[in-house]
Amino acid sequence: MRTFAKMAAVVMVGALALTGCGKTSSEKDNNASGSSSVDVCKGSKGEPKVGVAYDVGGRGDQSFNDSAYRGLEKAVKDLGASCIEAKATTSDNDSIREQRLQTLADQGFNPVIAVGFLYSPAAAKVAKANPNTNFAVIDGYSTTIATDAKNLSDLVFAENEGSYLVGVAAALTSKSKHVGFIGGTHGDLIKKFEAGYVAGVKSIDPKIKIDIQYLTEDPSDAATGFENPAGGKQAATAMYQGGADVVYHAAGKSGLGLFEAAVAAGEGKWAIGVDSDQYLTAAKDQQPHILTSMLKRIDTAVFEFVTAFKEGKVQSGFVNYDLKVDGVGYSTSGGFVDPIKAQIDAAADKIKSGEVKVPEKP
Amino acid sequence: MSRWMRLGLPVAAVVLALVFSGVVATLVLLFTGDDVVGFWRVLFTWPSERDLVDIINMTAILYLSGAAAAIGFRMNLFNIGVEGQYRLAGLFAGAFAAQGLLPGKLNVAAAILVAMAVGALWAGIAGVLRVWRGVSEVISTIMLNAIAGSLIGFLLVKWGESTGNARNTKMMPEDSWTGFFRLFPDVSDGAYHLSLLAPLVGIAFFILVYYTRFGFDLRAAGASESAAVSSGVSVKKMIVVSMLLSGAVAGLIGVPMMFSEAHQYGSAFQTGLGFTGIAVALLGRNHPMGIAFGALIFAFLGQQANLLNILAGVSPDIVNMTQGIIVLSVVIAFEVIRRLATRIEQRQVATQLDAERQGDTALKGASA
């Protein structure tokens, strides 16, 4: 009997590991059909042929990956490009990422855009092997590895500057003088969001209390960090119950749980979205709680990269998307930030002029 | 039972299970409206040389993971913690190698020992808890996985370095890098040097289980604890030792790739291999040869997942699912075959006995 029970436990764990949490994938599909019901890549013909390799979470996260997808969508519509998309899994290694990028290049896709910094080592290697294909890595550092590659670009963002602005919005909106931040994995990238947000809040009122929680301390556990709406909801619920009334997330798809928690917490509790304008994709009952979203214009970066490629003007190396070039910003959908817009824009002007330097590390 | 049957039945079981999995996968693809023809065309296309290299490397890595799980399974110990063990071992091995305390390849050898020691210790915790407090190793190893993840995060933040947005240990000195066995002239990479650890572990595992006193005790205790106790085997000792061995092998999983490719522990370090190893061990029936076969199938399917995704538009989830179905079908097929074999054997014995009895009566009749 004991053996049987153990056997059952093993089979369950094995099944969970093998399916990589089947629940999230079905949710993913639902969301994908909800946010962008038409798949622009299906049946698209034309030049350039753009290959996109997504990060964990994939299209349908309504956040990071979807922002890249919107850029792709625009490239197909405005430039007549065609495209193909490739999915990532949480158990990828560098060889598998290399194979993914290489296969896209082999299939004649050029340029190839990799979404997420994890692709950096793979892109550096594949770019060297395929000098006639252009590669770009969102958030990447690939050009620090392949320093002489002319066909390789890292599209990087000033997440701290955008987060500063929503931090200002949070501080001006909070009545309880208590706000929160939920991060995905506790890595350098997400800490940049935290640092900017905290600086923004403190710039309005240094006495405001800020709860900070990361969904996992394990840097490799993207599943718990970024594909975990239940965990996001739990963390947010605790913050709201503890008295916070504005919570900002940088946790990809896990952030969807934050919106649910805000609805459950009721009137006067706000959530701030990330990467995409999440007001637009949120459910009707969630919309009244979404104060604003920190926009990370991956869509702009993708679109501009494809445009530059078409015109033969690709810039290799790091391409910076900061506040000055509208690479980051905040959304106004829903109109909740309209009364404080002047103050947020004033803060933005100070960053643009260099008067305020937003820290990158907490 | 004839020798032919003993060899033929398992092979038949595996073939049957694979065919069955193929049918189920096809049905699922039809149901989801995916490209079935594309799926099979991609799957049956002989892999490119580059992909073959990757498949070989992955087979070696999954073999180590499967062997680690199988050592525990042999003792009826479900070491779910291979995942945490190899990740923690990888971190320490990477950090140790980066110090460059020893020259060149000696440093690599020492780092491998560090990896095995860390893996063994982390697994040993679960072993000791089991014999000392009776804590089920399933629970404790799952907990230890979670703890390992957070511990790794903590250590990397405290002592690691940043490369762009990634966090990792220091790069190890160049004379400690291991290279590749070039298999094809056109492919710059080859099999990792340290993938040789897989066949070494396989041979050691085989000798240990089938040709040593310890292996006999292990199989005896795994088959029947009470019988083992009454024949003088210390089950407590067996539990701790097999946990330590399982963990030591687990520690090796991340080593081949780290020393040949990344040369540091960091975000490039592959996770999830420990769980895949459980499936590989199940698929291989905990047998040193069977695990090799299981590892090859999983490595092949894993490698095809990308191609299926890009060339046929099939989601990697479908490939994961197919892997799961294969494991289930193999387990079921073996159970069916085992019962079948038992029945055949019983019938044979029965006919033999009948024949003898008839012979006896005939003899008696003749004498009467």
Side-chain angles (χ1 to χ4, degrees):
Chain A
M1 195 56 214
R2 183 178 153 72
T3 315
F4 176 76
K6 272 203 270 183
M7 196 69 202
V10 171
V11 170
M12 289 252 301
V13 171
L16 274 178
L18 284 169
T19 52
C21 297
K23 186 167 151 261
T24 43
S25 62
S26 62
E27 271 174 8
K28 200 181 313 176
D29 297 341
N30 290 343
N31 290 337
S33 54
S35 60
S36 40
S37 51
V38 200
D39 190 342
V40 287
C41 290
K42 284 237 167 77
S44 61
K45 287 191 183 72
E47 294 290 326
K49 289 169 73 186
V50 188
V52 174
Y54 287 113
D55 198 358
V56 168
R59 189 147 71 70
D61 64 356
Q62 303 186 10
S63 182
F64 182 64
N65 289 292
D66 274 358
S67 187
Y69 176 73
R70 269 196 309 283
L72 189 63
E73 208 171 29
K74 190 155 188 261
V76 171
K77 285 190 181 133
D78 295 5
L79 305 173
S82 60
C83 56
I84 193 163
E85 300 167 292
K87 275 173 122 176
T89 68
T90 44
S91 57
D92 283 349
N93 61 26
D94 278 348
S95 309
I96 292 184
R97 292 190 195 99
E98 263 168 56
Q99 187 211 25
R100 188 171 300 135
L101 300 180
Q102 182 65 52
T103 308
L104 290 171
D106 286 347
Q107 294 299 307
F109 289 92
N110 188 11
V112 172
I113 300 170
V115 183
F117 71 85
L118 284 178
Y119 281 104
S120 301
K125 216 165 165 183
V126 177
K128 273 188 183 164
N130 301 273
N132 296 322
T133 304
N134 276 90
F135 294 87
V137 185
I138 307 287
D139 290 345
Y141 57 91
S142 60
T143 53
T144 61
I145 304 169
T147 41
D148 50 354
K150 290 271 176 290
N151 56 334
L152 188 57
S153 315
D154 286 311
L155 313 180
V156 294
F157 297 82
E159 294 92 350
N160 51 335
E161 296 181 357
S163 300
Y164 184 93
L165 299 185
V166 296
V168 169
L172 292 171
T173 308
S174 174
K175 294 213 170 69
S176 61
K177 298 291 164 205
H178 186 173
V179 300
F181 171 81
I182 297 173
T185 57
H186 201 163
D188 288 2
L189 177 63
I190 305 302
K191 283 202 244 173
K192 235 168 130 183
F193 291 79
E194 180 200 328
Y197 179 69
V198 170
V201 171
K202 299 278 180 201
S203 75
I204 298 299
D205 181 353
K207 287 201 285 293
I208 291 182
K209 191 178 168 207
I210 308 173
D211 292 337
I212 289 161
Q213 194 187 336
Y214 285 84
L215 294 179
T216 174
E217 292 300 312
D218 181 348
S220 304
D221 193 0
T224 308
F226 297 110
E227 286 197 322
N228 180 15
K233 186 174 178 179
Q234 205 178 5
T237 306
M239 286 180 185
Y240 288 131
Q241 281 172 354
D245 57 356
V246 188
V247 179
Y248 171 44
H249 85 89
K253 203 198 263 175
S254 308
L256 299 179
L258 164 64
F259 303 147
E260 290 171 24
V263 173
E267 190 81 7
K269 301 289 189 183
W270 296 99
I272 299 178
V274 78
D275 294 349
S276 297
D277 182 350
Q278 298 198 282
Y279 179 87
L280 301 177
T281 47
K284 276 268 175 303
D285 61 330
Q286 294 173 349
Q287 282 179 339
H289 293 274
I290 299 180
L291 180 65
T292 175
S293 296
M294 194 288 272
L295 300 177
K296 177 169 168 180
R297 304 309 300 262
I298 303 167
D299 50 347
T300 311
V302 168
F303 180 73
E304 287 184 356
F305 181 72
V306 178
T307 312
F309 174 83
K310 199 176 178 185
E311 292 165 354
K313 290 183 205 154
V314 172
Q315 185 191 338
S316 62
F318 282 100
V319 184
N320 282 303
Y321 285 90
D322 57 11
L323 200 56
K324 251 184 243 162
V325 297
D326 283 328
V328 291
Y330 70 101
S331 68
T332 54
S333 307
F336 305 120
V337 289
D338 288 352
I340 51 174
K341 196 168 184 306
Q343 281 156 286
I344 304 175
D345 289 341
D349 287 338
K350 278 189 192 161
I351 297 172
K352 283 182 199 165
S353 69
E355 195 186 326
V356 170
K357 275 248 175 287
V358 185
E360 294 198 347
K361 287 189 175 110
Chain B
M1 202 177 358
S2 70
R3 192 187 170 78
W4 180 86
M5 287 258 275
R6 205 166 296 164
L7 279 175
L9 279 179
V11 174
V14 169
V15 171
L16 208 76
L18 287 179
V19 170
F20 177 73
S21 313
V23 171
V24 174
T26 307
L27 289 177
V28 171
L29 287 170
L30 283 173
F31 179 73
T32 54
D34 273 307
D35 180 4
V36 179
V37 181
F39 177 83
W40 287 110
R41 201 184 50 230
V42 173
L43 217 51
F44 280 128
T45 308
W46 185 248
S48 69
E49 292 180 345
R50 208 179 48 234
D51 288 348
L52 278 177
V53 168
D54 286 349
I55 290 174
I56 289 168
N57 281 326
M58 204 57 211
T59 305
I61 291 169
L62 286 179
Y63 185 84
L64 291 170
S65 181
I71 293 171
F73 285 163
R74 281 282 174 158
M75 181 61 214
N76 257 340
L77 283 172
F78 293 92
N79 179 7
I80 313 289
V82 173
E83 180 74 17
Q85 289 147 23
Y86 90 85
R87 288 184 58 199
L88 204 62
L91 171 70
F92 276 92
F96 175 85
Q99 300 304 317
L101 298 175
L102 296 165
K105 299 297 178 270
L106 216 57
N107 195 26
V108 180
I112 291 173
L113 290 179
V114 168
M116 292 178 75
V118 172
L121 281 177
W122 202 247
I125 297 175
V128 169
L129 279 175
R130 167 78 193 272
V131 296
W132 179 45
R133 306 296 323 162
V135 180
S136 163
E137 75 285 357
V138 177
I139 307 295
S140 57
T141 49
I142 290 177
M143 298 293 176
L144 283 167
N145 279 346
I147 297 171
S150 299
L151 186 60
I152 289 167
F154 171 77
L155 293 173
L156 276 181
V157 167
K158 202 151 171 72
W159 284 294
E161 297 185 331
S162 293
T163 314
N165 282 320
R167 190 109 190 138
N168 32 255
T169 61
K170 223 171 74 182
M171 192 71 94
M172 50 186 79
E174 217 156 310
D175 61 355
S176 297
W177 296 11
T178 59
F180 301 94
F181 299 113
R182 295 275 297 266
L183 303 172
F184 304 103
D186 297 340
V187 183
S188 61
D189 294 353
Y192 307 138
H193 277 166
L194 292 180
S195 60
L196 280 182
L197 286 170
L200 285 179
V201 164
I203 293 167
F205 183 29
F206 188 74
I207 294 175
L208 180 83
V209 170
Y210 294 103
Y211 292 98
T212 63
R213 161 82 201 276
F214 175 82
F216 181 79
D217 289 354
L218 186 75
R219 283 181 290 147
S224 163
E225 211 174 286
S226 50
V229 170
S230 51
S231 62
V233 176
S234 161
V235 173
K236 283 190 174 179
K237 197 185 111 195
M238 296 299 297
I239 287 176
V240 175
V241 172
S242 37
M243 254 343 231
L244 289 175
L245 282 177
S246 176
V249 173
L252 297 173
I253 297 171
V255 167
M257 192 188 290
M258 184 165 69
F259 277 88
S260 284
E261 292 236 35
H263 313 299
Q264 60 187 189
Y265 179 95
S267 44
F269 195 82
Q270 186 176 7
T271 58
L273 292 170
F275 295 123
T276 316
I278 295 173
V280 168
L282 283 174
L283 200 54
R285 311 282 300 158
N286 301 330
H287 189 280
M289 280 307 291
I291 297 168
F293 167 80
L296 179 65
I297 288 195
F298 266 62
F300 172 76
L301 283 174
Q303 192 67 23
Q304 299 295 44
N306 259 330
L307 299 178
L308 284 168
N309 183 212
I310 295 167
L311 304 180
V314 175
S315 161
D317 298 335
I318 298 272
V319 178
N320 274 337
M321 189 205 65
T322 311
Q323 288 177 334
I325 298 172
I326 292 178
V327 173
L328 277 181
S329 348
V330 165
V331 170
I332 294 169
F334 266 94
E335 186 57 27
V336 170
I337 297 269
R338 191 187 63 80
R339 289 188 188 174
L340 195 72
T342 320
R343 207 172 306 153
I344 293 173
E345 210 163 357
Q346 279 168 346
R347 205 174 300 150
Q348 276 177 349
V349 173
T351 37
Q352 247 166 21
L353 283 178
D354 278 351
E356 277 172 28
R357 210 173 300 147
Q358 272 166 13
D360 281 357
T361 38
L363 230 85
K364 273 179 202 154
S367 68

